[in-house]
């Protein structure tokens, strides 16, 4: 990740994943509201969405590990150099370990969707563990770095550990819409902050940031709060838009069904009247 692109790639993944979570769980929440008696029996389309999500996480984790290992200056599956008596590209190995646990969470999601033998909540537990491992690795990732570099990465830990904690709560409070939307919000925050880290440490244009200036640290901290506000706004607007769309579509379907029933009732009434007149 020692360049802007290395931060933009995971940032894009987390942004899209957070947006996906908002849309998916809003649709499921709207369905449960309209079908309170069948809360546990979800339509097949929602299962397919879980398969797509789990499969994508597995695929993305595999690609991430391969890129970290076999990029031109990567370790190429070598962890320790016996000749130089030194570790080989530990940063790449750390990134690969992070991707590994997100891949495990994808496997857990697919398994829990496919089989009722898998205990309820395993998918959330695996995702919470993946986020914890990400934060744990990042915490020891920035030691002996300039002040601004270390601080801007430490702010990322707020979103990561916060997401891990909220996802762990979902193990015991399944499908709680507020917790789910909060988790999605923290994923969006994490994605946008990866971009911010890239812009600060590897600016595409303009002067370089002074990594030791305290004023820059204060601004970056305030900027993180702005990112959180934007993430909350995105979640709220997406939730409102999806809910409104579902209501409009469901309302039209209900009106069509009522109209068909009225037409059927009137035609049956006309047939009954004709039969009575024929008998007379």
């Amino acid at each position: 990740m020692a360049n802007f692109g290395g931060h933009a790639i995971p940032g894009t993944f987390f942004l899209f994943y957070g947006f996906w979570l908002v849309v998916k769980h809003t649709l499921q929440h709207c369905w449960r509201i309209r079908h309170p008696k069948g809360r546990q029996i979800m339509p097949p389309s929602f299962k397919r969405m879980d398969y797509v999500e789990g499969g994508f996480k597995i695929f993305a984790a595999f690609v991430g590990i391969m890129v970290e290992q076999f990029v031109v200056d990567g370790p190429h599956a070598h962890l320790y150099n016996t000749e130089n008596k030194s570790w080989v590209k530990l940063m790449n190995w750390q990134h690969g370990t992070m991707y590994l646990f997100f891949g495990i969470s994808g496997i857990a999601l697919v398994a829990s969707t496919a089989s009722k033998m898998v205990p309820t909540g395993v998918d959330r537990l695996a995702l919470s563990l993946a986020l914890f491992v990400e934060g744990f690795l990042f915490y020891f990732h920035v030691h002996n770095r300039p002040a601004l570099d270390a601080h801007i990465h430490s702010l990322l830990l707020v979103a990561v550990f916060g997401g891990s904690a909220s996802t762990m709560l979902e193990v015991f409070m399944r499908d709680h819409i507020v917790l789910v939307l909060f988790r999605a919000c923290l994923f969006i925050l994490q994605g946008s902050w990866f971009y911010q880290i890239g812009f600060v440490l590897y600016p595409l244009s303009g002067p370089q940031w002074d990594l030791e200036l305290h004023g820059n640290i204060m601004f970056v901290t305030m900027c993180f709060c702005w990112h959180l506000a934007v993430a909350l706004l995105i979640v709220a607007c997406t939730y409102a838009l999806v809910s409104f769309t579902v209501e409009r579509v469901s309302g039209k379907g209900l009106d069509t069904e009522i109209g068909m029933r009225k037409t059927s009732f009137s035609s049956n009434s006309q047939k009954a009247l004709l039969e009575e007149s024929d008998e007379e």
Side-chain angles (χ1 to χ4, degrees), residues 155 189 193 218-232:
L155 290 174
L189 173 62
W193 197 246
M218 292 180 65
F219 171 77
V220 164
T221 306
M222 180 175 62
C223 189
F224 181 81
C225 298
W226 295 347
H227 277 256
L228 175 58
V230 172
L232 289 169

Side-chain angles (χ1 to χ4, degrees), residues 102 121 123-136 156-174 176 178-184 186-187 190:
F102 277 103
D123 56 330
R124 301 295 199 275
L125 178 63
L127 181 57
S128 175
L129 183 61
L131 286 166
F132 175 80
V133 169
E134 179 191 358
F136 182 72
L156 184 66
L157 298 179
V158 176
V160 176
F161 284 129
S164 177
S166 66
T167 307
M168 180 61 73
L169 285 176
E170 289 184 56
V171 175
F172 310 101
M173 304 172 66
R174 186 75 176 182
H176 193 292
V178 175
L179 285 176
V180 170
L181 293 179
F182 183 63
R183 167 162 56 100
L186 292 179
F187 270 114
Q190 190 179 162

Side-chain angles (χ1 to χ4, degrees), residues 44-58:
S45 57
F46 289 130
K47 271 196 169 185
R48 287 194 289 269
M49 293 173 74
D50 286 336
Y51 283 129
V52 169
E53 179 183 332
F56 176 72
K57 285 201 287 188
I58 295 169

Side-chain angles (χ1 to χ4, degrees), residues 13-233:
F13 168 78
F14 286 124
L15 281 172
F16 277 103
Y17 184 58
F19 182 74
W20 161 268
L21 288 177
V22 178
V23 173
K24 185 185 83 167
H25 289 289
T26 302
L27 289 173
Q28 292 180 351
H29 181 64
C30 292
W31 187 89
R32 290 190 186 94
I33 291 175
R34 299 183 68 87
H35 303 80
K37 294 180 180 179
R39 293 171 65 93
Q40 304 299 325
I41 306 173
M42 302 295 287
S45 57
F46 289 130
K47 271 196 169 185
R48 287 194 289 269
M49 293 173 74
D50 286 336
Y51 283 129
V52 169
E53 179 183 332
F56 176 72
K57 285 201 287 188
I58 295 169
F59 174 76
F62 175 77
V63 171
I65 292 172
M66 291 298 103
V67 169
E68 290 290 344
Q69 284 293 324
F70 300 106
V71 72
V72 176
D73 59 343
H76 297 273
H78 291 92
L79 180 60
Y80 189 78
N81 190 326
T82 55
E83 294 180 359
N84 299 331
K85 295 184 178 180
S86 61
W87 301 103
V88 180
K89 299 286 183 179
L90 284 182
M91 191 174 294
N92 295 65
W93 279 98
Q94 282 198 339
H95 295 160
T97 303
M98 180 182 71
Y99 295 141
L100 171 65
F101 277 86
F102 277 103
I104 292 173
S105 75
I107 295 172
L109 178 57
V110 171
S112 61
T113 304
S115 175
K116 294 182 179 179
M117 297 296 293
V118 179
T120 303
V122 166
D123 56 330
R124 301 295 199 275
L125 178 63
L127 181 57
S128 175
L129 183 61
L131 286 166
F132 175 80
V133 169
E134 179 191 358
F136 182 72
L137 291 173
F138 264 113
Y139 179 78
F140 296 100
H141 196 67
V142 294
H143 286 191
N144 299 322
R145 290 196 182 186
L148 182 60
D149 189 342
H151 182 69
I152 199 171
H153 279 92
S154 66
L155 290 174
L156 184 66
L157 298 179
V158 176
V160 176
F161 284 129
S164 177
S166 66
T167 307
M168 180 61 73
L169 285 176
E170 289 184 56
V171 175
F172 310 101
M173 304 172 66
R174 186 75 176 182
D175 297 322
H176 193 292
I177 187 61
V178 175
L179 285 176
V180 170
L181 293 179
F182 183 63
R183 167 162 56 100
C185 175
L186 292 179
F187 270 114
I188 293 173
L189 173 62
Q190 190 179 162
S192 66
W193 197 246
F194 264 112
Y195 269 95
Q196 186 66 57
I197 293 173
F199 281 119
V200 170
L201 299 182
Y202 310 98
L204 299 178
S205 60
Q208 297 287 326
W209 288 61
D210 186 343
L211 300 183
E212 299 294 342
L213 184 64
H214 182 68
N216 287 340
I217 295 176
M218 292 180 65
F219 171 77
V220 164
T221 306
M222 180 175 62
C223 189
F224 181 81
C225 298
W226 295 347
H227 277 256
L228 175 58
V230 172
L232 289 169
L233 181 62

